[in-house]
Amino acid sequence: MINYLWAFMILIGIVVGVLGGNIAEISNATINSSKEAVSLCIAMLGVMSMWTGLMQVAKKTGLVTSFTKALRPIICFLFPDIPKGHIVNEYIASNMIANILGLGWAATPMGLMAMKELKKLNNNSDIASCDMCTLLIVNISSLQLIPVNIIAYRSQYGSINPAEIIVPGIIATTISTLVGVIFATVARKLSKHR
Amino acid sequence: MNFIVYLSDYIIPFLFFYIIGYSLLTKTSTYDEFIKGAEDGFKVVFDILPTLIGLMIAIGILRSSGALDLLSGTLKPITDFLHFPSELLPITLVKMFSSSAATSLLLDIFKEYGPDSYLGRLVSIILSSTETIFYTLAVYFMAAGVSKTRYTLAGALVSTLAGTIASVLITQLVF
C-alpha cells in the first residue's frame, strides 16, 4: 500500500505540475526536499540522542518499569495478544508517555522498537498484526495533552491568550483517541471472527 | 489558564531532574548510561533518514505542483456544505503528510487572520488533536518491514475525522 501511495503522490504531482506550468517548481522541490530531509535529520540527531540517553538512564533505574506498571491495565486492554512481561509492553508505554507529554519526536524511536518486537511476535510476517494496527491508530489519534509548540506560535503572533486552546484541544484529542480505540477494538473482534 | 503554559516549560527540566535524581538514589552509573543511550539515538535517526528523504520528495512535488490547492478548490462546495472553512482544507490535508509543512501553513493563517480569530483558534485546536497519518504509517511500517497494513489507514482516517469534527464543534461552542 505504501509503495502505491508514494508512487501516486509523485505521479499525480508531476502530471498536475505539467498541466499547470509548475514544472520548474517541481524540479526545485525534488532537490530542496531531499536536502531538507537531511538537515532535518541532523537537527533531530541532537534532540533524539538527548532523549534516548535520558530514557536509557530511566530504564536502568527501573523508572520505565514503574511507568509501565501504571499503564499496564490500559495496555492490557488495548493489546490483548502481547504476552505478559514482554519487553514490547515497556516500549509501548514509553511511546505513549512521550506522546502524552508532547514529545512526538521522542515517541518515534520507542514506537519503532515496539513495531520491530511486534513483528517478531507475529512470526516476522509482512502482514500487520492487530496489535500493530492498534498501536498505529492510537499513535495517529494524537495523545498529546499540551500542544506546547502551537501555544508558542500563537503567542509569537500576538495572541491575547495563547493558552486558551489547551482545554478545547484536550477535549478534541480525547474524542479522536476514543473513536480510534473503539474502531481498533471493533476491527480486531471482526477480524478474529472471520 | 496561564499556569498551564508555565507548567509546560517545566516538563523537560522536571523529567531530567526526576530521572537523574532518581538514578543517583539508586546508585546507577548515570553518565555512562546516558552516553550508551545517546548512541542508540544516532542509529534511530539514520534508520529514518532514507524514509524521510523519500517522503519529503513526494510531499515537495505534491505541494509545488499546485495539486493540493487544486484539491481544496474542487472540494470547496463540499466543505461549504459541511460548514468547514475551505481556507483550512489545505492545512488539514497537508497535516496528514507532513507536520513541518503544516506548521508553515499554520503560521500563514496566523499572519493572515490572527491567532485569536475563529480560523486561528480552530486551526490551533485541529493541529493539537491530529497527527501526520501517512508519515507515521510509512515510517512505522517501513521500519518494521510490514507491507500489508490492513485496517490501520481506515482507523486513522476515522479518528482524525472525529478529532476534526470535534474541533469545529468545540470552537463554535467555547468561543
Side-chain angles (χ1 to χ4, degrees), chain A residues 2 5-6 13 22 33 36 41 52-53 56 60-61 119 126 128 133 140-141 146 154 159-160 163-164 166 173 176, chain B residues 4-5 8 23 28 33-34 37 41 49 54 56 65 115-116 121 124 128 131 134 142 144-145 147-148 150 152 159:
Chain A
I2 290 156
L5 189 72
W6 191 71
N22 292 327
S33 301
E36 216 179 301
C41 268
T52 51
Q56 175 67 28
K60 199 74 187 172
T61 57
K119 191 181 182 182
D126 67 339
C133 297
I140 291 171
S141 77
I146 300 164
R154 287 173 59 80
S159 169
I160 295 163
E164 67 185 2
I166 289 180
T173 299
S176 74
Chain B
I4 298 179
V5 186
S8 310
S23 78
T28 311
E33 289 301 329
F34 182 85
L49 183 56
M56 287 185 76
S65 70
D116 291 337
R121 282 167 172 156
S124 308
S128 58
E131 261 295 341
F134 295 102
M142 273 184 183
S147 56
K148 297 190 179 67
R150 293 170 66 199
T152 313
S159 107

Side-chain angles (χ1 to χ4, degrees), chain B residues 89-108:
Chain B
L89 194 62
I91 187 170
T92 317
L93 296 173
V94 164
K95 171 76 190 194
M96 295 181 180
F97 297 93
S98 154
S99 123
S100 51
T103 301
S104 59
L105 287 173
L106 171 80
L107 300 182
D108 247 25

Side-chain angles (χ1 to χ4, degrees), chain B residues 59-168:
Chain B
I59 293 155
I61 289 174
L62 261 189
R63 226 192 325 164
S64 62
S65 70
L68 289 173
D69 297 335
L70 200 72
L71 191 62
S72 69
T74 318
L75 293 176
K76 192 171 173 12
I78 301 170
T79 54
D80 284 353
F81 175 74
L82 296 172
H83 300 284
F84 187 78
S86 67
E87 295 92 330
L88 297 190
L89 194 62
I91 187 170
T92 317
L93 296 173
V94 164
K95 171 76 190 194
M96 295 181 180
F97 297 93
S98 154
S99 123
S100 51
T103 301
S104 59
L105 287 173
L106 171 80
L107 300 182
D108 247 25
I109 290 166
F110 282 173
K111 251 182 267 174
E112 190 90 9
Y113 306 97
D116 291 337
S117 64
Y118 171 68
L119 287 180
R121 282 167 172 156
L122 177 54
V123 77
S124 308
I125 296 168
I126 290 176
L127 283 205
S128 58
S129 65
T130 54
E131 261 295 341
T132 47
I133 298 181
F134 295 102
Y135 171 78
T136 312
L137 268 180
V139 168
Y140 276 57
F141 279 126
M142 273 184 183
V146 170
S147 56
K148 297 190 179 67
T149 62
R150 293 170 66 199
Y151 56 84
T152 313
L153 179 62
L157 286 171
V158 166
S159 107
T160 300
L161 185 68
T164 309
I165 294 170
S167 304
V168 175

Side-chain angles (χ1 to χ4, degrees), chain A residues 28-66:
Chain A
N28 286 335
T30 50
I31 297 160
N32 288 336
S33 301
S34 42
K35 279 200 293 197
E36 216 179 301
V38 175
S39 47
L40 198 71
C41 268
I42 289 171
M44 265 162 72
L45 258 182
V47 196
M48 193 75 95
S49 303
M50 177 270 279
W51 182 258
T52 51
L54 190 65
M55 288 307 280
Q56 175 67 28
V57 177
K59 234 187 286 174
K60 199 74 187 172
T61 57
L63 269 177
V64 176
T65 323
S66 46

Side-chain angles (χ1 to χ4, degrees), chain A residues 93-106:
Chain A
S94 317
N95 169 267
M96 285 185 171
I97 286 166
N99 269 324
I100 290 168
L101 294 177
L103 310 168
W105 39 266

